[in-house]
């Protein structure tokens, strides 16, 4: 489990899983938290329970995203109606007695409630966890190249500010393990898409042309810059530099699996201690 030091003194329970500590068999070994794929659901529910227990999460309601590389964010406030979400059956699993809800076509979750665990999924895309200690509001975002291109981090900050009364300068941010600039290779159309939403000057810090016509992209750095451009203080941002693609022993990777079956990692957050 990876945790950010920047949240150590915050009233926030949080963690991002790795491959370690679960019960799944290859190729999902061992900690796979995705119940959308072909892995044994009993194993996946056990893995989620193990992760939540390790983080001392006591809430019995979990809201998980069904991600589509969008910039759609679900805000979960006190008056939130869970009936608008899709329930997932947890009977006869380690999560029996829990309520697990799926937020369809959603890539980000925000809450200030202490009785809900938020869950987002990753296997190379960039996890962004945001927390405001003043209003005690937390967000988790799934920002791959499309999300980053569409400035998802900015949308997350704007939503926290407009809907939860957050000030950007109060936000603490963690950018998690994801595809690193060492390995994350893209073609020119991807770079061209970024050039529509970012200046070339800024992109010069994130795009590294290779002599064989491809580009390496530093999504973590670009997301860190995006957060700062939207008012998050640089000293309030922590970046995990681990690369999921070459971090074979510790991380699942979509790119490394090359279209094959693989495990998925999750960010878990719950407000309060
Ligand atoms: Zn790498």
């Amino acid at each position: 489990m990876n945790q950010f030091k920047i949240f150590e003194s915050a009233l926030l329970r949080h963690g991002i899983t790795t491959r370690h500590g679960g019960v799944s068999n290859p190729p999902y070994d061992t900690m796979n938290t995705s119940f959308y794929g072909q892995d044994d659901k009993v194993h996946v529910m056990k893995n989620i329970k193990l992760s939540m227990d390790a983080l001392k999460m006591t809430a019995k309601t979990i809201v998980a995203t069904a991600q589509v590389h969008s910039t759609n964010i679900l805000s979960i406030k006190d008056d939130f109606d869970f009936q608008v979400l899709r329930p997932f059956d947890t009977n006869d699993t380690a999560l029996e007695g829990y309520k697990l809800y799926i937020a369809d076509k959603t890539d980000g979750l925000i809450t200030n409630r202490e009785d809900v665990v938020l869950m987002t999924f990753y296997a190379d895309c960039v996890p962004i966890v945001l927390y405001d200690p003043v209003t005690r509001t937390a967000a988790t975002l799934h920002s791959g190249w499309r999300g980053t291109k569409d400035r998802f981090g900015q949308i997350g900050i704007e939503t926290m500010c407009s809907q939860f009364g957050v000030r950007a300068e109060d936000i603490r941010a963690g950018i998690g393990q994801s595809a690193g600039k060492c390995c994350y290779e893209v073609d020119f159309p991807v770079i061209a898409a970024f050039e529509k939403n970012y200046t070339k000057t800024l992109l010069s810090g994130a795009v590294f042309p290779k002599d064989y016509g491809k580009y390496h992209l530093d999504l973590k750095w670009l997301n860190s810059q995006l957060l700062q451009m939207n008012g998050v203080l640089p000293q309030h941002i922590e970046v995990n530099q681990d690369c999921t693609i070459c971090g074979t022993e510790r991380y699942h990777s979509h790119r490394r699996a090359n279209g094959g079956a693989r495990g998925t990692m999750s960010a878990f957050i719950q407000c309060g201690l």
Side-chain angles (χ1 to χ4, degrees):
M1 187 83 73
N2 287 347
Q3 292 188 283
F4 296 103
K5 289 190 179 67
I6 196 131
F7 301 131
E8 259 175 7
S9 60
L11 296 173
L12 178 74
R13 291 171 233 201
H14 84 284
I16 303 179
T17 59
T18 65
R19 292 184 70 163
H20 299 307
V23 297
S24 289
N25 297 316
Y28 307 100
D29 52 319
T30 58
M31 178 56 78
N32 171 43
T33 54
S34 173
F35 39 84
Y36 298 119
Q38 298 303 310
D39 192 7
D40 185 333
K41 299 294 181 291
V42 168
H43 287 167
V44 173
M45 294 298 135
K46 178 71 175 173
N47 289 338
I48 293 172
K49 179 74 160 54
L50 287 168
S51 300
M52 287 177 55
D53 287 351
L55 297 169
K56 298 185 167 54
M57 290 180 168
T58 51
K60 292 287 194 289
T61 300
I62 305 164
V63 176
T65 45
Q67 299 164 180
V68 289
H69 297 281
S70 72
T71 56
N72 300 330
I73 295 175
L74 179 71
S75 295
I76 301 167
K77 296 184 175 183
D78 283 335
D79 61 352
F80 182 74
D81 178 9
F82 288 91
Q83 302 305 314
V84 304
L85 302 178
R86 185 158 54 98
F88 190 93
D89 184 4
T90 59
N91 287 330
D92 301 318
T93 74
L95 289 181
E96 175 127 32
Y98 285 66
K99 286 191 162 54
L100 172 56
Y101 294 103
I102 296 172
D104 282 312
K105 295 179 182 170
T106 300
D107 286 79
L109 301 167
I110 304 178
T111 196
N112 53 7
R113 292 174 61 141
E114 297 190 0
D115 60 344
V116 181
V117 172
L118 307 184
M119 187 178 177
T120 44
F121 301 91
Y122 305 91
D124 293 337
C125 289
V126 182
I128 302 176
V129 178
L130 305 172
Y131 182 70
D132 167 33
V134 179
T135 63
R136 299 183 183 175
T137 304
T140 179
L141 309 176
H142 162 256
S143 187
W145 78 259
R146 289 183 185 82
T148 305
K149 180 256 293 176
D150 292 333
R151 302 172 75 116
F152 195 23
Q154 173 177 340
I155 294 166
I157 291 169
E158 288 171 351
T159 307
M160 289 177 80
C161 293
S162 65
Q163 296 190 14
F164 292 86
V166 172
R167 297 184 311 173
E169 61 266 35
D170 293 326
I171 292 175
R172 272 60 173 171
I175 295 175
Q177 76 246 17
S178 40
K181 65 178 175 184
C182 45
C183 296
Y184 191 50
E185 196 164 278
V186 298
D187 294 316
F188 180 72
V190 171
I191 303 303
F194 274 84
E195 288 176 347
K196 291 183 176 144
N197 290 346
Y198 292 94
T199 65
K200 286 200 174 184
T201 305
L202 186 69
L203 287 177
S204 68
V207 177
F208 304 93
K210 298 290 162 180
D211 54 13
Y212 45 91
K214 305 272 192 182
Y215 301 80
H216 280 207
L217 192 51
D218 190 347
L219 291 178
K220 298 180 212 237
W221 182 86
L222 193 53
N223 275 295
S224 173
Q225 294 299 309
L226 180 65
L227 298 181
Q228 291 173 58
M229 285 156 54
N230 287 279
V232 181
L233 304 175
Q235 65 268 32
H236 288 169
I237 301 174
E238 177 180 344
V239 181
N240 180 334
Q241 294 295 350
D242 286 0
C243 171
T244 48
I245 298 174
C246 60
T248 308
E249 190 272 335
R250 187 167 175 80
Y251 300 113
H252 299 296
S253 167
H254 179 71
R255 183 68 70 97
R256 176 163 21 92
N258 198 21
R262 56 158 173 83
T264 297
M265 303 172 289
S266 283
F268 290 91
I269 61 176
Q270 182 191 338
C271 290
L273 272 184

